[in-house]
Amino acid sequence: MRRTPEQLAADQTGPAPAIVTADLSGKTLILVGANAGLGFEAAKHFARMNPARLVLTARDEAKGEKALAQIQSATGYTKAELWIIDLANFNSVISFADRAERELDRLDILIENAGMMTYEYEQVEGWEKTLHTNNLGPGLLAIRMVPKMVETARKYLVNPRVAVVSSDTHYWTEIEKEIIASPNILATLSSKEYCTQEVMHHRYHDTKLLNILFARALQLHVPSSPAITVCAVNPGLCFSGLLSGIPTDSEVAEALRNEREELAFTTEEGSRQLVYAAIGSLDDEETLRGKYIQLSKVTEESDFAISEDGMIVQEKIWEEMLEIFGNIDPKVSEVAEVYLTKA
Ligand SMILES: NC(=O)c1ccc[n+]([C@@H]2O[C@H](COP(=O)([O-])OP(=O)(O)OC[C@H]3O[C@@H](n4cnc5c(N)ncnc54)[C@H](OP(=O)(O)O)[C@@H]3O)[C@@H](O)[C@H]2O)c1
């Protein structure tokens, strides 16, 4: 599907879909990036649904504690837990995953929400920072959580869910043919030579496209029985801290801010889409598997995402991620061996 500026404006000026709710008693959720923005608002919605465990993450302890206190006072829910994870640090992701493996009896819902946007090229642990934060960190975490989710499905006869927060900005980018033909797509996308200023201006969009391809690949490679649902979701254009990484004096930033002033949903309205991706359509689970959601509806992804090239990138980045993660975390190879199906 193509998405025109007119469609975007129409969607953003129509009513935001209502919040869906469910009884989450007995369930365990992990919501990544809950101290601010959409994740913070979604955390309040989930808290009101009374899960047995609600693991909220932040990368900064003080920010996380402050958010936790606010969530508690807004909802009266006292069981939310703060766990620290920095997605741009593989050791932090591995420690988090080890802890979840040890301390959680079950995992019903994983919401991969945290993300960032910048036009500046910076490398962290050898990877361009946006790609590391928005794709590699979340990818490693999701793969490490597969065994816990499969066990949960088996033991409690439920259908665990992974919701990956993407964006409709994915409609406005694609991966070029030379990159697709390169021996390693992620390494090429990450390299300083490739990341010109122009590329960095659509880097965020690229990462949101990769979120969708990853969600589809994960869905394809997790066991079909017992089933896990993996979906990607667009919260819509919303007020949040996301633009804080963009220089305030640039023309593009000015345009983005104007667009936001004119069209954005409130942060709370946007958070409803995270909630939908986590607990919407519970009686028709299959319709969400491997799908992209916006405005609480399964929606066709971009023409590139559904093209043959899109499918090739999906499978290549899946293989590349397994290799990258396998080299830094021995447990990934075990997960792949025991839980993930081959292409
Ligand atoms: N707002 C929109 O219009 C919009 C539209 C489409 C999609 N999205 C997506 O929605 C998600 C949430 O963004 P938002 O709009 O709520 O932005 P936000 O207000 O900036 O919140 C981003 C969250 O991600 C966390 N985060 C950033 N870098 C991290 C890292 N390295 N490790 C762990 N956590 C990290 C932030 O923590 P700190 O507070 O420590 O930075 C914060 O909790 C993102 O995936 C974004 O791409 C947003």
Side-chain angles (χ1 to χ4, degrees), residues 17-24 42 45-46 48-49 161 268 271-282 296:
I19 184 76
V20 286
T21 58
D23 177 9
L24 293 181
H45 285 304
F46 289 125
R48 291 190 182 100
M49 298 179 220
R161 224 185 251 192
E268 185 282 320
S271 78
R272 297 177 199 174
Q273 290 306 301
L274 274 56
V275 176
Y276 186 87
I279 59 163
S281 200
L282 281 178
S296 303

Side-chain angles (χ1 to χ4, degrees), residues 25-66:
S25 43
K27 309 267 182 187
T28 296
L29 284 74
I30 296 176
L31 170 54
V32 184
N35 62 286
L38 301 170
F40 176 67
E41 292 301 327
K44 288 194 246 169
H45 285 304
F46 289 125
R48 291 190 182 100
M49 298 179 220
N50 197 31
R53 293 188 76 168
L54 179 58
V55 175
L56 302 177
T57 89
R59 56 181 169 161
D60 179 277
E61 186 104 35
K63 283 193 202 171
E65 290 294 353
K66 189 172 166 207

Side-chain angles (χ1 to χ4, degrees), residues 97-171:
D98 288 345
R99 180 176 175 190
E101 199 175 73
R102 269 193 325 269
E103 295 185 20
L104 297 182
D105 170 51
R106 60 190 285 171
L107 179 55
D108 298 275
I109 300 171
L110 169 65
I111 302 134
E112 302 228 82
N113 159 70
M116 61 163 291
M117 183 194 251
T118 182
Y119 295 157
E120 295 299 315
Y121 183 82
E122 188 188 337
Q123 267 195 8
V124 186
E125 299 185 319
W127 294 96
E128 189 280 310
K129 192 175 177 185
T130 330
L131 200 65
H132 197 325
T133 308
N134 295 3
N135 303 110
L136 298 178
L140 174 56
L141 178 63
I143 288 172
R144 282 292 313 272
M145 291 300 95
V146 166
K148 185 65 71 184
M149 297 188 113
V150 171
E151 282 166 26
T152 303
R154 282 200 186 121
K155 196 165 161 192
Y156 301 101
L157 305 178
V158 291
N159 189 145
R161 224 185 251 192
V162 181
V164 180
V165 180
S166 173
S167 163
D168 55 357
T169 56
H170 91 274
Y171 286 106

